[in-house]
Amino acid sequence: MCSWCYAFAPAWEALKAALPPGVAVQRVLGGLAPDTDQPMPQEMRDYLRATWTRIERQVPGTRFNFDFWTRCEPRRATYPACRAVIAARAQGEEHDERMTQAIQRAYYREARNPSDRDTLVQLAGELGLERDRFAAALEHTETQRALEAEIARARGMGADGFPSLVLEHSGTLLPVPIDYTAPERMREALSRHLAA
């Protein structure tokens, strides 16, 4: 549910397609905003709407559906969406990225609220996942523990921003600068790290 991560998706796909041989990708959830039932404060709503506008100006091709702010009751809670990725992954690793993309599509293009359990269960059904199994996993304490472990891992890697790229090479963790419009720069940074 990070708007910058959503904007980063095309550059990320281009980078993945051009990764040097032997570089494996492992996605790690960062958490962002813990659970809450409280409506998002107006100042945060205004800040995020302004961020969406800024992203549309800075990252060519990125578009948001601003109807979200009038159709939904926003909450600053991204942990439910993170747990949804873990619950989807439990039905097959390939569903990790598929659920992430479904959440982003629902949130940013369709003005649906992925902080809401019902939205997440609907998305699982749309992806062809076993809905009952997904719904149970979404609420399971093991799913929350898995999320906490991934957040701790991300922090331990120095992945404190959203999005973050970190290369683990020869026992060293090396940050890769994010570039939303020139994925070749990220690939060059990776190549330099790998050659060192």
Side-chain angles (χ1 to χ4, degrees):
M1 287 181 65
C2 161
S3 51
W4 286 103
C5 296
Y6 165 66
F8 184 58
W12 171 236
E13 290 302 318
L15 176 61
K16 281 195 309 185
L19 284 175
V23 175
V25 173
Q26 183 171 12
R27 293 163 37 93
V28 180
L29 296 163
L32 189 58
D35 295 312
T36 182
D37 289 328
Q38 297 302 309
M40 187 182 292
Q42 189 60 49
E43 311 81 60
M44 178 61 73
R45 294 178 195 213
D46 294 342
Y47 171 78
L48 289 175
R49 271 196 302 258
T51 299
W52 288 14
T53 300
R54 189 169 70 248
I55 291 170
E56 284 189 338
R57 284 195 306 263
Q58 291 179 1
V59 184
T62 303
R63 295 291 171 261
F64 294 91
N65 183 344
F66 287 83
D67 290 345
F68 173 81
W69 301 104
T70 54
R71 285 189 197 164
C72 298
E73 181 64 51
R75 296 191 317 280
R76 185 72 171 155
T78 66
Y79 281 24
C82 291
R83 285 191 296 271
V85 171
I86 293 169
R89 189 191 300 154
Q91 294 189 39
E93 284 293 324
E94 69 276 12
H95 301 304
D96 178 298
E97 204 155 353
R98 291 180 69 229
M99 178 55 81
T100 299
Q101 291 167 354
I103 288 166
Q104 290 176 340
R105 182 188 71 247
Y107 185 20
Y108 297 117
R109 295 184 199 157
E110 300 170 355
R112 296 161 67 189
N113 194 344
S115 294
D116 294 339
R117 179 186 181 280
D118 289 347
T119 299
L120 298 169
V121 173
Q122 287 171 359
L123 292 174
E126 290 167 17
L127 291 174
L129 299 175
E130 296 176 36
R131 284 174 65 125
D132 291 344
R133 182 176 164 200
F134 173 87
L138 194 58
E139 306 296 330
H140 202 281
T141 56
E142 284 301 315
T143 305
Q144 177 62 27
R145 278 199 276 274
L147 174 57
E148 291 166 4
E150 287 198 35
I151 292 170
R153 181 163 185 237
R155 299 299 175 272
M157 296 170 64
D160 296 323
F162 301 94
S164 289
L165 293 176
V166 178
L167 175 68
E168 184 177 356
H169 180 59
S170 300
T172 303
L173 297 172
L174 305 160
V176 178
I178 299 294
D179 195 310
Y180 293 86
T181 58
E184 65 277 2
R185 290 186 193 142
M186 294 183 289
R187 189 184 189 293
E188 289 165 7
L190 279 169
S191 296
R192 283 193 302 275
H193 285 331
L194 290 167

